[in-house]
Coordinates of all heavy atoms in Angstrom, one line a residue:
K129 N 5.2 -0.3 -17.7 CA 3.9 -0.2 -18.4 C 2.9 0.5 -17.5 O 3.0 0.5 -16.3 CB 3.4 -1.6 -18.8 CG 3.0 -2.5 -17.6 CD 2.5 -3.8 -18.1 CE 2.1 -4.7 -16.9 NZ 1.5 -6.0 -17.3
T130 N 2.0 1.2 -18.2 CA 1.0 2.0 -17.5 C 0.0 1.1 -16.7 O -0.5 0.1 -17.2 CB 0.2 2.9 -18.4 OG1 1.1 3.7 -19.1 CG2 -0.8 3.7 -17.7
H131 N -0.2 1.4 -15.5 CA -1.1 0.6 -14.6 C -1.9 1.5 -13.7 O -1.4 2.5 -13.2 CB -0.3 -0.4 -13.8 CG -1.1 -1.4 -13.1 ND1 -1.7 -2.5 -13.8 CD2 -1.5 -1.6 -11.8 CE1 -2.3 -3.3 -13.0 NE2 -2.3 -2.7 -11.8
T132 N -3.2 1.2 -13.5 CA -4.0 2.1 -12.7 C -4.1 1.7 -11.2 O -4.3 0.5 -10.9 CB -5.5 2.1 -13.3 OG1 -5.5 2.5 -14.6 CG2 -6.4 3.0 -12.5
Y133 N -3.8 2.7 -10.4 CA -4.0 2.5 -8.9 C -5.1 3.6 -8.5 O -5.4 4.5 -9.3 CB -2.7 2.8 -8.2 CG -1.9 1.6 -8.0 CD1 -1.2 1.1 -9.1 CD2 -1.7 0.9 -6.8 CE1 -0.4 -0.1 -9.0 CE2 -0.9 -0.2 -6.7 CZ -0.2 -0.7 -7.8 OH 0.6 -1.8 -7.7
Y134 N -5.6 3.4 -7.3 CA -6.7 4.3 -6.9 C -6.4 4.8 -5.5 O -5.9 4.0 -4.6 CB -8.1 3.5 -6.8 CG -8.5 3.1 -8.2 CD1 -8.2 1.8 -8.6 CD2 -9.2 3.9 -9.1 CE1 -8.6 1.3 -9.8 CE2 -9.6 3.4 -10.3 CZ -9.3 2.1 -10.7 OH -9.6 1.7 -11.9
Q135 N -6.7 6.1 -5.2 CA -6.7 6.6 -3.9 C -8.0 6.3 -3.3 O -9.1 6.6 -3.9 CB -6.5 8.1 -3.9 CG -6.1 8.7 -2.6 CD -4.5 8.7 -2.4 OE1 -3.8 9.3 -3.1 NE2 -4.1 7.9 -1.5
V136 N -8.0 5.6 -2.1 CA -9.3 5.2 -1.5 C -9.4 5.5 -0.1 O -8.4 5.8 0.6 CB -9.4 3.6 -1.7 CG1 -9.2 3.2 -3.2 CG2 -8.5 2.9 -0.8
L137 N -10.6 5.5 0.4 CA -10.9 5.6 1.9 C -11.2 4.2 2.4 O -12.0 3.5 1.7 CB -12.0 6.5 2.1 CG -11.8 8.0 1.8 CD1 -13.1 8.8 2.2 CD2 -10.6 8.6 2.6
I138 N -10.7 3.8 3.6 CA -11.0 2.6 4.2 C -12.1 2.8 5.2 O -12.1 3.7 6.0 CB -9.8 2.0 4.9 CG1 -8.6 1.8 3.9 CG2 -10.1 0.7 5.6 CD1 -7.3 1.5 4.6
D139 N -13.1 1.9 5.2 CA -14.2 1.9 6.2 C -13.6 1.7 7.6 O -12.9 0.8 7.9 CB -15.2 0.8 5.9 CG -16.5 1.0 6.7 OD1 -16.4 1.2 7.9 OD2 -17.6 1.0 6.1
A140 N -13.8 2.7 8.5 CA -13.3 2.7 9.8 C -13.7 1.4 10.6 O -12.9 1.0 11.5 CB -13.7 4.0 10.6
R141 N -14.8 0.8 10.3 CA -15.2 -0.4 11.0 C -14.3 -1.5 10.8 O -14.3 -2.5 11.6 CB -16.7 -0.7 10.6 CG -17.7 0.3 11.1 CD -19.1 0.1 10.4 NE -19.0 0.3 9.0 CZ -20.1 0.3 8.2 NH1 -21.3 0.0 8.7 NH2 -19.9 0.6 6.9
D142 N -13.6 -1.5 9.6 CA -12.8 -2.6 9.3 C -11.3 -2.5 9.7 O -10.6 -3.4 9.7 CB -12.8 -2.9 7.7 CG -14.2 -3.3 7.3 OD1 -15.0 -3.7 8.1 OD2 -14.5 -3.1 6.1

Side-chain angles (χ1 to χ4, degrees):
K129 63 177 181 180
T130 302
H131 193 75
T132 302
Y133 275 72
Y134 299 94
Q135 196 86 67
V136 307
L137 294 180
I138 303 173
D139 195 309
R141 293 168 293 185
D142 296 341

